[in-house]
Amino acid sequence: QVQLVESGGGLVQAGVSLRLSCAASGLTFSAYAVAWFRQAPGKEREFVAAVTRSGGNSVYADSVKGRFTISRDNSKNTVYLQMNSLKPADTAVYYCAAGSYDLRAYAYNYWGQGTQVTVSS
């Protein structure tokens, strides 16, 4: 049974940093690219960041470039999203996903349950 479990979300003020974690089990973690998506109330799910199987390459949405960093530790079957200089516009449920390295949600086969990030002004 494949399971992805996000953690680290919370309610923070603008300008604060937060690190999300996604722990994977039930799959060969190093065989999959991993990504973060987010969905704000009333909006479509959007791509945030993705990292390749070995962690050697990554890609970011323009809205988070320079502020967020995706990384992975294959020895721990965990992917991280370091979020700096958080803005109210970052408020959303954040989901991690495993699959093919892509900006499109359909490329990812497995999804976590999401963790809420709320940024107040």
Side-chain angles (χ1 to χ4, degrees):
Q1 183 78 23
V2 173
Q3 190 171 21
L4 301 175
V5 180
E6 302 96 334
S7 62
L11 173 61
V12 298
Q13 291 186 301
V16 167
S17 295
L18 205 58
R19 189 173 80 157
L20 305 183
S21 298
C22 175
S25 61
L27 77 170
T28 304
F29 185 66
S30 61
Y32 294 87
V34 292
W36 289 92
F37 290 79
R38 67 187 184 186
Q39 187 166 27
K43 294 190 175 182
E44 297 179 345
R45 186 169 298 188
E46 67 173 346
F47 173 82
V48 176
V51 64
T52 53
R53 290 174 294 169
S54 65
N57 291 97
S58 58
V59 61
Y60 299 88
D62 288 342
S63 58
V64 307
K65 199 171 299 179
R67 298 189 298 121
F68 290 12
T69 303
I70 188 170
S71 62
R72 66 190 297 166
D73 186 341
N74 287 345
S75 71
K76 297 180 179 179
N77 286 0
T78 302
V79 61
Y80 305 96
L81 185 68
Q82 177 66 45
M83 305 184 294
N84 297 329
S85 301
L86 282 163
K87 306 174 180 179
D90 296 318
T91 295
V93 176
Y94 284 71
Y95 300 89
C96 67
S100 299
Y101 187 63
D102 206 300
L103 278 65
R104 294 165 291 189
Y106 70 74
Y108 297 89
N109 306 111
Y110 307 109
W111 292 80
Q113 82 292 160
T115 186
Q116 176 71 49
V117 173
T118 303
V119 184
S120 63
S121 59

